[in-house]
Amino acid sequence: MRRYFELATDEYVKGRWYLDDPVDAGGRTIDDVWMFRDGRTVELHERLRLPIYRPGEPLDIEFAGVGLIPIVSERVASIFRKMAPDDVQLFPVDVEGQGASYFILNVARKVRCIDDAACREVQHFGDNEELHADRVGEYRSVIGLRIDKSKAGDARVFRLWGYDIPIIVDEEIKDALEANGIFGGTFEEV
C-alpha cells in the first residue's frame, strides 16, 4: 500500500522569504484567496503577481498570504506536471523582484479519507454553530493527522475533504521532490 505525506513549508529556514496574497494587474487582491485550497479545478483568466511580504531567501515551496496559496518554483512544478498532471493545475505567477519562474499550485482533487480513530485528536464543526452552519461535519481541528490509505484510490496529490489545510502527496512524489533538492519543504507521514 502506498505511503502518503503532508507537504508543508519549513518555517525554520533562517532568513526565508514570506509572500503576500496575489494581486491582479491593477494591484488589487483577488476576490477569493481561498479558491486554491478547495480541492477543485479553478479558472484563472489573468496572470497574477505576488508581492513579497518579508524579503529573504526564496523557497521552492511557500504558502502565500492569508489564503495560504501554494507557490512553487519551476523545478517543483515540473515534478507535479510530470507525475500528477490529473491532480494539479499550475498557474504562472510573477513574484516581485524575481526573474525565476514560479507557479500557483492548485491541487484539484479532494479525497474523503481522514481516519478519525487513528488521529491523536479531531474536532468537528457541530450543528449548533451558527457562524459555521455551512461546515457542519467538517473538521475544526486535526492533531496527529492520519489518513485511511485505502480510500485514497489512485490520487497522487490531494486535499482532504472537510480539512483543506494540508496538501497530501504520495511517496513517489515526495522522493522525486527530495531527489531534486527541494529547498524549504518538509514532509510528515500521514
Side-chain angles (χ1 to χ4, degrees), residues 38-159:
D38 202 31
R40 62 178 171 83
T41 58
V42 168
E43 285 190 38
L44 198 58
H45 302 289
E46 66 179 305
R47 189 175 180 124
L48 299 177
R49 189 170 49 84
L50 276 165
I52 294 180
Y53 178 74
R54 188 172 84 191
E57 185 74 28
L59 303 177
D60 286 317
I61 180 144
E62 163 69 319
F63 291 84
V66 69
L68 299 175
I69 299 168
I71 307 299
V72 298
S73 67
E74 172 60 45
R75 68 182 169 162
V76 170
S78 68
I79 291 167
F80 282 108
R81 196 179 294 118
K82 177 181 171 188
M83 297 182 75
D86 297 332
D87 295 342
V88 302
Q89 294 175 289
L90 293 156
F91 299 103
V93 63
D94 297 317
V95 178
E96 178 184 355
Q98 297 293 309
S101 297
Y102 287 90
F103 299 83
I104 293 173
L105 171 68
N106 182 50
V107 177
R109 196 161 192 178
K110 187 184 306 189
V111 178
R112 188 173 191 156
C113 64
I114 294 178
D115 186 340
D116 288 15
C119 295
R120 203 170 10 178
E121 179 184 326
V122 296
Q123 295 177 5
H124 295 269
F125 288 103
D127 56 6
N128 60 346
E129 299 180 58
E130 191 174 315
L131 184 61
H132 298 289
D134 60 325
R135 300 197 60 198
V136 171
E138 293 183 14
Y139 295 86
R140 173 191 298 279
S141 171
V142 178
I143 299 171
L145 175 65
R146 293 293 175 261
I147 66 169
D148 180 343
K149 296 170 181 80
S150 70
K151 294 181 180 177
D154 65 348
R156 306 212 54 199
V157 181
F158 56 94
R159 295 280 189 168

